[in-house]
Amino acid sequence: MALEILSKYDRQIIFLVVLILTFMPAFYPIGLPLPQYFLTNKVYDAINSLKPGDLVLISFDFAPGVWVELGIAMKDIMQHLFIKRARIVIIAFDPNGPALAHRVLNEIDLKGAVYGKDYVVLGYIPGFEAGMAAFVSNPKMFTVDYYGNPTADMPIMNAFNTIGDFKMYIFACYTWVDPWMRQFSGKIDIIIGVLSADIVPQVMPYINTGQLYSLIRGSRGAAEYEQLLGIKGEATAFMDAASLTVSLGVILTIVANYGYLKKKLGGRR
Amino acid sequence: MSWVRRREIPLIIFAVTFLISLLQYYLAVPFLSEVNTEMTNWVLIMSTFALGTGLIALCIYHGKIIMQKKSGYFVSIILFISMLMLFISYYAAPSFADYLYNEIYTPLSIAIICFTAFYNYTAIYRAFRVRNIDAAVFAFAAVFLMMLYAPIFEVILPQTATVANWILDVPNMGASRGVIIGVALGTIAIAVRVLLGYERAYTG
C-alpha cells in the first residue's frame, strides 16, 4: 500500500521529505563527528608550512550558484592564509570571480593585512585557457587592479616577475580541471584544487601523478577544513543536512529496488 | 573568386599560429616565445571584444522581444532594468552593487542550483533500479559515493568510506585516465587534420 502511494505521488512525497530533512538540522542539530580525509589534511599542512611573506596565487573560477560548494571552502582557506601572513594575489578566469573574491575578503578577518602590500585582487582575465596561458607567460600583465587602482605602485606587484615566484597556486572550479593542469602544472610547485564534489572522481589521476598536490572536495572538504582550523563555520552546519539528505538517497535506492523486485517477481508468479 | 574570400587564407593563419605556439613550447628560442606571448595577448583582446559583442547580441535579441511584445516580454524588461541597475551602481554606488550581487544575484543562483537537488532525489528513486548488471554496478558505485559525502555513514560504518575510496582510486582512476588520454589523442588528431586542411568547419 505504502509502495503504491509512493509510486503514485513519488515526486511530491520526495520533494516534501527533502525539504524537511534540509531544514530539520537547523532546529535540531545532530552534531556528528567528522572523519578527516587525507587530502584535506594535506592541504592544511601545506598552507600551515607557509612562511610569512610567501606568495600565493589564487584564482576564483566559479559562479555564485556553487557558493555553498566552493565559496565557503575558499573563505576557510583564505582565512588560514591570512593567519599565516602569506602574500596573496587573486585573479579569476570566470567573470564572476573578482566579485566572489571581494565577498570572501569582506567576510573574513584579514589580520591587519594591507591591500596592495599583502594582498591584491587583480581581476578577471578573459579567454579562459588562453587567458591562463597569457598569465603564466606574463604574471605582471595587469596595469590596474579590479578596483581600477594602478598596480605599478603596489609593493606586492614587485614581489614577483615570473609564475615560478609563486610558492603555491589555489584554484576553485566546478568543471574539468584539464585547462588548469595544462597551463599551471610544472610551473608552480604546489597546486591545490578546491573542487565541487561531483568532479573529484575525474581529478583523481592528477592527484596520483602529483600534478595536483591536493584538493578540497566541496562543502564536505570545507567542513573538514573548519574542523582543522578549530572553527564551527557554515560548512560544518551543512554537514547534518548533507547526512540526512544523502541517507534519504540511500533509502530511496533500497525502496525503489524492493518495489521493483517485488513487482517483477510477483509478475513471474 | 576574390583573394580575400579564398579558403587558403584562414588555413595559412591557423597553420602559422599553430606552428609558432607548438615550436615555442619545445624550442628555447626567445623570438618564438615573444611572438607567442604577443599572439596570446591578441587572443585576450579578441575574447574581451567577444564579451562586448555578446552584450550587443543580448540587447538586440531582448530589444526585439520587447518591441514586438512577444509572450514573456516583461522578463526582457526585467533583464534590461537589472543590467542597467548593476552597471550604474558599480560606478555610482559600489556598496549597492555589492548588495545586489551578494544578496540578490548570489542567493538566486544558489536557489536555481538547489532546485536540482529535489529532482535528483526523484531521479534516484526512478532510475536506480537494478534491471541488469550495468544498472547494478552503476547503483552500487553511486550509493557508496553518495555515502562518502555524508559523515553519518562514515561514523556508523567506516567500511563505506573504504569501499567508496577504493571505487575512486581503482576503477574510477583507470577509466578517468583512459578518458584523459583519449581526449588528448583526439585533440592531437583534430589539430593535425586542421593543419593539413582536412577539417574546415571553423572557416565557416
Side-chain angles (χ1 to χ4, degrees), chain A residues 131-173:
Chain A
M132 293 178 196
F135 185 82
V136 165
S137 63
N138 178 24
K140 300 186 85 157
M141 63 195 287
F142 286 89
T143 52
V144 290
D145 69 357
Y146 171 56
Y147 306 103
N149 308 312
T151 55
D153 310 328
M154 295 180 179
I156 195 168
M157 295 303 284
N158 297 321
F160 61 91
N161 288 310
T162 66
I163 196 73
D165 294 332
F166 290 97
K167 180 107 179 169
M168 183 184 282
Y169 172 48
I170 301 170
F171 67 98
C173 80

Side-chain angles (χ1 to χ4, degrees), chain A residues 10 15 33-35 64 96 102-103 126-127 130-131 141 176 197 201 204-205 208 217 220 243 245-246 256-257 260, chain B residues 40 43-44 47-48 98 101-102 105-106 121-122 125-126 128-131 146 148 151-152 154-155 172 176-177 179:
Chain A
D10 61 340
F15 277 26
L34 190 63
N96 290 291
H102 178 70
R103 179 179 176 179
M141 63 195 287
W176 210 0
M204 294 312 282
N208 196 245
R217 43 182 192 172
R220 164 85 198 255
S243 286
T245 47
V246 170
N257 281 295
Y260 173 71
Chain B
T40 318
V43 175
L44 294 195
S47 303
T48 313
D98 284 349
Y101 194 89
N102 294 331
Y105 177 57
T106 303
Y121 282 103
T122 317
Y125 178 68
R126 292 181 181 182
F128 278 9
R129 289 178 189 178
V130 185
R131 292 187 173 90
M146 273 197 296
L148 188 63
I152 193 167
E154 208 173 333
V155 172
N172 163 72
S176 297
R177 273 187 189 149
V179 170

Side-chain angles (χ1 to χ4, degrees), chain A residues 6-22:
Chain A
L6 185 61
S7 301
K8 201 172 177 185
Y9 302 104
D10 61 340
R11 182 165 286 177
Q12 291 85 339
I13 293 168
I14 291 168
F15 277 26
L16 189 68
V17 176
V18 171
L19 196 69
I20 292 167
L21 292 180
T22 312

Side-chain angles (χ1 to χ4, degrees), chain B residues 27-59:
Chain B
L27 305 174
V29 181
F31 171 72
L32 286 176
S33 294
E34 284 166 23
V35 174
N36 184 60
T37 304
E38 197 58 40
M39 281 188 336
T40 318
N41 288 337
W42 291 359
V43 175
L44 294 195
I45 294 164
M46 284 187 277
S47 303
T48 313
F49 267 108
L51 287 174
T53 50
L55 181 68
I56 293 165
L58 185 84
C59 291

Side-chain angles (χ1 to χ4, degrees), chain B residues 15-25 32-33 35-36 39:
Chain B
V16 171
T17 52
F18 177 86
L19 286 173
I20 290 170
S21 290
L22 187 75
L23 292 175
Q24 69 82 32
Y25 189 81
L32 286 176
S33 294
V35 174
N36 184 60
M39 281 188 336

